[in-house]
Amino acid sequence: MSKQYTPTIGIEIHVQLATKSKMFCACDNNSRNAEPNTNVCPVCMAFPGSLPVVNKGAVELAIKLGYGLNAQIAKITSFDRKNYFYPDSPKGYQITQMREPIVGKGYVEILVDNEFKKIGIHHAHLEEDAGKSTHPTGKDYSLVDFNRAGTPLVEIVSEPDMHSAVEAKRYLQEVYAIATTLGVSDGDMEHGNFKFDLNVSVSDNEELGTRTELKNLNSFRNAERALNYEIARQIEILEQGEKVVQETRGWNDAKGKTVPQRSKEEANDYRYFPEPDIPPLNLDEEFITNVQAEAKKEVLPITVRQELLSLGLNSDEQDILVGQAKTRTIFYDAKNTLNNSQLERKIVNWLVGDYQAWKSENSESESKLSGQHLAELIMLIEDGSISSKTAKEIFANVIAGQKPAEIIQAKGLTQMSDDTELEAIIVDIIAKNPQAVADYKSGNEKAAGFFVGQVMAATKGQANPGKANALVLKLLQEQ
Ligand SMILES: [Zn+2]
């Protein structure tokens, strides 16, 4: 490559909101197990004379998300019609926000190579989803299910602040963690709760290059792969002295490449205009403050990352605690129970090590691991009651919900720390090994190690090694 190219990436994320009902009607927002076209009403089917009413719960979740995106909330926010004809849109338009979005400028901090970087948020707006078309193979018809029509979404539009596929992936993961931590979305990616469009261009100078849009991705890994492919493809075109065509492209996972979908010439003119059936919303200060106060009760992913970074965790370890809500709760509960910064790294080691290993072979729903029990397990090792080997052996029982102290009691696993009991054993070993005692007395200090080994063997590993060592030395001196 003769020139240095810089990629520039901007992202639009569609987050499905975890409300009870749809965006503008009382239909259930969960159609997971519903028969097609049963979860509909005159409003979401756009029957003449029906009027949409804004879902207060959706507004609250948008405000919470705005808090997570460090963004201003608009006091006056309004809706617009985006006109287009498509079979899965019963209205012939989508209600969205074009002029006065609810969430204004903000930013998200991502961690790349152990350094924080701010990615600007241009705005985020409320809108409704369309229905779903399916095209049965070999048939000369298509099917439309309107259950999804009217589902509340927030679209988050970033600034073009990302300059590599890794940065884009980190941004997506961070926004996902924010949305799920705040309870804004269920975040079920397989069911399209979190989808995104990636805008990418490359340039070898100050001006931005011609961009392409990669539509409808729903996996972090594929986003990174698609961007790496697209960046390389565009550079190759420019290197050959040709021009990148502005177009929409899709990601073909099986082939591992992006493929053209439609070019700019065919792009729609949506003829936006203000939604006449919904008056602008005037959000009062107190309402916004109260919703934000609710959001503030949650520990945001960035706070977790900063703490984990100070504990020396790498990105993969951080992702586990940031991405797994239950694991993160266990971490904080254990941390608060122990209340000892020296032991925090130990909590993390259990959670990113043994606990992940257990999770890879079991379903997390079976886990009854609590932060309190994990803290207790760590304390039992710290005070010498059990060895770390024993702790690992009983960890599955702890995950099953048993109290560590009760497990070691029931299994008789307590490390032997009782001085009189240990002394008796050592005295016995000394009496049986006069030659080793003589060796030690003649200056061979290594002989003491022999006695400690004998003690561990006699107690089947249950003696506290430090204590055994001290007692052996004390008793040998007395010979
Ligand atoms: Zn409805």
Side-chain angles (χ1 to χ4, degrees):
M1 198 192 305
S2 54
K3 295 170 187 159
Q4 194 66 40
Y5 292 92
T6 306
T8 298
I9 301 160
I11 299 181
E12 290 153 21
I13 305 175
H14 288 93
V15 182
Q16 185 176 317
L17 300 179
T19 53
K20 276 193 79 65
S21 53
K22 290 188 183 179
M23 187 66 225
F24 300 111
C25 63
C27 287
D28 196 333
N29 189 29
N30 179 2
S31 293
R32 194 67 58 81
N33 301 312
E35 288 289 311
N37 299 308
T38 55
N39 198 2
V40 293
C41 75
V43 174
C44 53
M45 291 302 287
F47 285 6
S50 65
L51 286 173
V53 176
V54 176
N55 182 340
K56 190 180 173 192
V59 172
E60 288 172 349
L61 292 182
I63 293 172
K64 282 189 179 178
L65 186 58
Y67 163 76
L69 301 175
N70 303 293
Q72 293 279 328
I73 302 300
K75 299 218 167 49
I76 293 172
T77 181
S78 60
F79 291 86
D80 300 279
R81 282 189 186 180
K82 180 181 179 178
N83 296 281
Y84 67 98
F85 178 77
Y86 202 73
D88 63 14
S89 164
K91 294 187 174 85
Y93 59 84
Q94 177 194 33
I95 304 179
T96 180
Q97 299 192 294
M98 208 266 289
R99 295 160 302 132
E100 297 172 305
I102 184 162
V103 177
K105 286 201 181 303
Y107 64 89
V108 166
E109 281 186 273
I110 59 168
L111 191 60
V112 181
D113 296 331
N114 285 341
E115 275 183 41
F116 286 99
K117 178 183 174 177
K118 277 186 188 175
I119 306 298
I121 300 294
H122 183 272
H123 77 273
H125 61 261
L126 280 163
E127 60 185 29
E128 58 178 342
D129 208 346
K132 196 173 169 183
S133 311
T134 44
H135 315 287
T137 39
K139 297 289 189 330
D140 60 354
Y141 58 80
S142 292
L143 297 168
V144 184
D145 176 8
F146 289 112
N147 283 349
R148 200 178 66 187
T151 293
L153 303 175
V154 164
E155 179 175 336
I156 305 165
V157 181
S158 84
E159 299 287 0
D161 286 348
M162 289 151 277
H163 297 289
S164 71
V166 171
E167 285 187 10
K169 186 177 86 168
R170 291 249 153 239
Y171 167 77
L172 288 166
Q173 288 174 321
E174 203 63 28
V175 173
Y176 179 86
I178 291 167
T180 48
T181 299
L182 292 173
V184 168
S185 176
D186 295 334
D188 185 342
M189 294 183 74
E190 276 178 37
H191 288 93
N193 285 187
F194 194 87
K195 302 179 282 197
F196 31 89
D197 304 334
L198 313 163
N199 291 294
V200 54
S201 64
V202 300
S203 173
D204 64 352
N205 56 53
E206 294 293 295
E207 275 176 48
L208 288 179
T210 305
R211 66 178 198 191
T212 57
E213 187 175 22
L214 309 178
K215 276 260 192 216
N216 256 322
L217 282 97
N218 67 346
S219 116
F220 303 133
R221 183 173 160 268
N222 283 350
E224 190 179 19
R225 289 174 70 202
L227 283 169
N228 278 329
Y229 177 88
E230 188 58 18
I231 290 165
R233 188 188 72 88
Q234 291 186 13
I235 291 174
E236 197 179 315
I237 290 171
L238 296 179
E239 280 289 293
Q240 287 167 357
E242 290 169 28
K243 287 199 168 92
V244 172
V245 179
Q246 182 171 346
E247 62 185 353
T248 299
R249 299 176 72 88
W251 170 248
N252 185 319
D253 193 24
K255 290 186 178 151
K257 58 205 281 188
T258 64
V259 288
Q261 285 184 331
R262 66 170 187 250
S263 68
K264 199 196 171 199
E265 283 70 39
E266 302 161 44
N268 290 308
D269 174 3
Y270 294 116
R271 292 169 195 272
Y272 284 95
F273 64 82
E275 167 58 56
D277 288 340
I278 304 174
L281 292 180
N282 206 331
L283 303 174
D284 75 64
E285 192 81 51
E286 198 188 338
F287 172 71
I288 296 174
T289 315
N290 287 344
V291 176
Q292 286 171 334
E294 274 297 305
K296 278 177 192 165
K297 290 179 186 165
E298 303 297 334
V299 184
L300 284 177
I302 180 72
T303 311
V304 181
R305 282 199 192 279
Q306 276 158 348
E307 274 196 48
L308 301 182
L309 189 64
S310 68
L311 290 174
L313 268 70
N314 63 37
S315 314
D316 289 341
E317 292 172 324
Q318 289 180 22
D319 286 345
I320 290 170
L321 292 188
V322 173
Q324 299 177 8
K326 273 177 88 172
T327 311
R328 190 169 63 242
T329 305
I330 297 167
F331 169 72
Y332 277 106
D333 286 348
K335 182 171 169 285
N336 293 335
T337 306
L338 289 172
N339 195 21
N340 179 347
S341 60
Q342 305 288 318
L343 298 177
E344 282 171 9
R345 178 73 226 194
K346 298 212 154 99
I347 306 170
V348 173
N349 288 346
W350 278 101
L351 291 176
V352 305
D354 294 73
Y355 189 49
Q356 297 306 312
W358 180 88
K359 273 181 66 177
S360 68
E361 285 172 13
N362 299 274
S363 155
E364 190 181 23
S365 58
E366 288 165 31
S367 165
K368 295 196 179 71
L369 181 63
S370 73
Q372 287 75 16
H373 284 178
L374 180 56
E376 189 185 317
L377 187 70
I378 291 170
M379 278 317 295
L380 287 168
I381 304 169
E382 288 303 305
D383 69 15
S385 302
I386 56 171
S387 65
S388 16
K389 186 165 160 279
T390 303
K392 280 180 188 291
E393 283 164 11
I394 66 165
F395 191 49
N397 297 69
V398 181
I399 295 173
Q402 287 178 262
K403 224 174 136 22
E406 284 168 12
I407 304 166
I408 59 173
Q409 194 81 42
K411 297 193 173 208
L413 294 169
T414 325
Q415 209 162 234
M416 209 175 285
S417 302
D418 185 304
D419 284 9
T420 39
E421 206 176 336
L422 262 183
E423 270 196 49
I425 292 168
I426 296 168
V427 167
D428 187 45
I429 292 170
I430 286 175
K432 284 178 181 158
N433 294 282
Q435 186 54 50
V437 176
D439 285 353
Y440 177 81
K441 299 216 85 139
S442 65
N444 181 3
E445 287 181 7
K446 281 184 191 157
F450 162 80
F451 288 99
V452 176
Q454 291 293 305
V455 175
M456 298 312 285
T459 58
K460 297 198 175 69
Q462 286 183 34
N464 179 328
K467 202 148 250 175
N469 192 48
L471 277 175
V472 162
L473 292 178
K474 175 176 161 258
L475 294 169
L476 282 174
Q477 306 290 329
E478 292 169 6
Q479 294 300 308

